[in-house]
Amino acid sequence: MPAATSGGCRGGRLPARAGIGLRSAHFDAFTTGRPDVAFLEVHTENYFHDGGREPRLLDRLREHYAVSLHGVGLAPGSVSALDREHLRRVAAAVRRYEPAAVSEHACWGHVDGEHFNDLLPLPFTEEAVRHLSARVAEVQDALGRRILIENVSQYLRFRHSTLTEGEFLAAVVRECGCGVLLDVNNLYVNSVNVGFEPLKTIEHLPADAVHEVHLAGHLRREIDGQVLLIDDHGSRVPEPVWRLYAAVLEKCGAVPTLIEWDTDVPELGVLLSEAARADSMLEACRARAA
Amino acid sequence: MLGLLELQHAFAAGLRGAPHDADAWAASDRVPAEARLSLYRINARTVFEQALAATYAVVRERVGDDYFRQLVHFYRRAHPSRSGDLHEVGRRFPEFLSSHLAGTPYSWLAELAALEWAVAEAGVAPDAAVASLRSLSGVPPAAVAGVRLRLVPSLRLLSASVPVLTVWRANQGDSARPVVDLDAGPEFVQVHRSAAGVQLRGAQAAEFAFVIAIARGESIEAAIDESGLPVDRLAPVLRDLFEDEAVAEVVAPAAAPMPSQGCTGHPT
């Protein structure tokens, strides 16, 4: 059953169970029924507008499911000034939907007024820690709440990075008091693309700051005979990512876990079966801790 | 070592395809830095194209994928994204097509694009309560001429020199595409959102001018005078506006108070 019932579940915290991303392909299923997922995540920018089908549907679902607002466009690591209008609209969505979690990405995305509408990576340096932390603090002040910051996928390594990804995220958490949304697929993709041991990164993470996990699929692409993994969110969670997820649960305990699927979205049953697998691992994690 | 600002400028140059040296700041282990950077360049371009294709599906279908991609390429160079919200990236596409295609046989595509942008805007415009025709029947007959109608916020009114609504309709669904005579003359289109979704309605010139005047806040009488709407067309035009759920409120003249009942209450 959904995590909450007709009493409504505005605010609060995400349940430590599995949720899915709410995508338009499944609107009808959520309009006519109450699929069994613990929470729903939406891209904040899809709810910037006040009218139309999507906001009305989310208003209704909000009474039955915990909701996570996941921003993809604020890009707080950009050195250019924070986009105040974008932040104002995020704040309006937070006021309207009273989500259990609000997240953004540890990335940059615009420079000199030009937006690339992508989650561009930051170097893992002290300077980037200071900059991102200051911006996240600004966002948290504007929203009046703590937000989660997600690690992004990387297709390249900056020469002058001095920290590991885990150290970088831990430092940002220390500086601004945000939480972490750990995308386990991104962690795996990065470990292959850039070449590092992902279990080491997990060791560096502040376990008590990880408040949500993302699981997704990726694509293999060969360049000059070398494999790079593309974070396309277009397939089932691969086995190596499930194995890494098990290690994350070992370190962080049972954490709300999202099955993220954005391209070639399959029928709802496929997402629910992936969510059920995550739920069974979360249950086993709780049993071990008891 | 590049500072964060210089690094983001250097990265951005690579994304734009401007002169850059990825090796100066990105490692080339296994795969060259430039090949790695190209993944971001391709992604940024693809995301932009997909956003445009989602909004301008009919334009894309009319010109084909390759030419559409070319148009988007030139559009992106002229009007790079200025927002972190992808829904905004296509805002200036009709204006771009208007100048880019001026003097070519494809110039009419700018008007088709304007219709598609209106459809996109109507889909997300603020909700509004809807007034029923009964609200108007409650106004004393002598006062009806002075009534003003507040139309729903999703309403968009487009006048096109070519039959864009016919083209738009011909390119919906999966059925075979009928041939549209682009020389068939102008079309006037009313776009708005009802409870059933975005609606498009074609109108005659005088009816369209009447609705434009009403949308501007003119009284029914003033709108008739301005538009030249034949008196016998008034009732059907008003009925269509109400039945289409395009009227948010009936505002009676001050001397003619409104009856208390008059709103169907459901937002569109």
Side-chain angles (χ1 to χ4, degrees), chain A residues 69-117:
Chain A
L69 285 188
H70 186 50
V72 294
L74 192 59
S78 306
V79 176
S80 299
L82 199 58
D83 185 337
R84 294 275 158 200
E85 173 57 15
H86 197 101
L87 181 55
R88 184 192 67 71
R89 299 178 85 181
V90 172
V94 168
R95 278 195 303 277
R96 175 167 178 167
Y97 300 109
E98 300 177 51
V102 178
S103 49
E104 293 287 342
H105 291 85
C107 73
W108 71 281
H110 57 91
V111 65
D112 296 337
E114 179 175 0
H115 288 251
F116 297 99
N117 301 104

Side-chain angles (χ1 to χ4, degrees), chain B residues 5-43:
Chain B
L5 178 62
E6 293 78 17
L7 181 68
Q8 290 182 6
H9 274 117
F11 203 127
L15 294 176
R16 293 185 191 109
H20 64 280
D21 178 14
D23 276 313
W25 45 269
S28 281
D29 22 51
R30 285 199 307 122
V31 178
E34 180 54 36
R36 291 172 177 272
L37 177 61
S38 73
L39 294 173
Y40 291 99
R41 184 160 54 241
I42 292 166
N43 195 49

Side-chain angles (χ1 to χ4, degrees), chain A residues 46 49 51-52 77 79 108 112-115 117-118 121 127 154-155 157-160 192-193 221 226-227, chain B residues 1-2 4 8-9 16 23 25-27 29-30 36 39-40 43 81-84 87 123-125 127 193:
Chain A
N46 287 341
H49 297 282
V79 176
W108 71 281
D112 296 337
E114 179 175 0
H115 288 251
N117 301 104
D118 195 4
E127 182 196 15
Q154 289 174 268
Y155 306 124
R157 179 174 64 80
F158 294 105
R159 288 185 181 279
H160 58 294
V192 172
N193 290 347
R221 178 178 290 186
Q226 299 289 324
V227 170
Chain B
M1 179 179 107
L2 292 179
L4 201 51
Q8 290 182 6
H9 274 117
R16 293 185 191 109
D23 276 313
W25 45 269
D29 22 51
R30 285 199 307 122
R36 291 172 177 272
L39 294 173
Y40 291 99
N43 195 49
S81 173
R82 297 293 178 199
S83 172
H87 301 94
V124 297
D127 291 330
R193 192 179 72 245

Side-chain angles (χ1 to χ4, degrees), chain A residues 208-220:
Chain A
D208 55 354
V210 177
H211 293 294
E212 188 183 341
V213 159
H214 276 182
L215 298 174
H218 54 251
L219 188 71
R220 287 170 66 89

Side-chain angles (χ1 to χ4, degrees), chain B residues 79-91:
Chain B
H79 301 284
S81 173
R82 297 293 178 199
S83 172
D85 177 8
L86 265 176
H87 301 94
E88 290 293 320
V89 301
R91 181 175 289 282

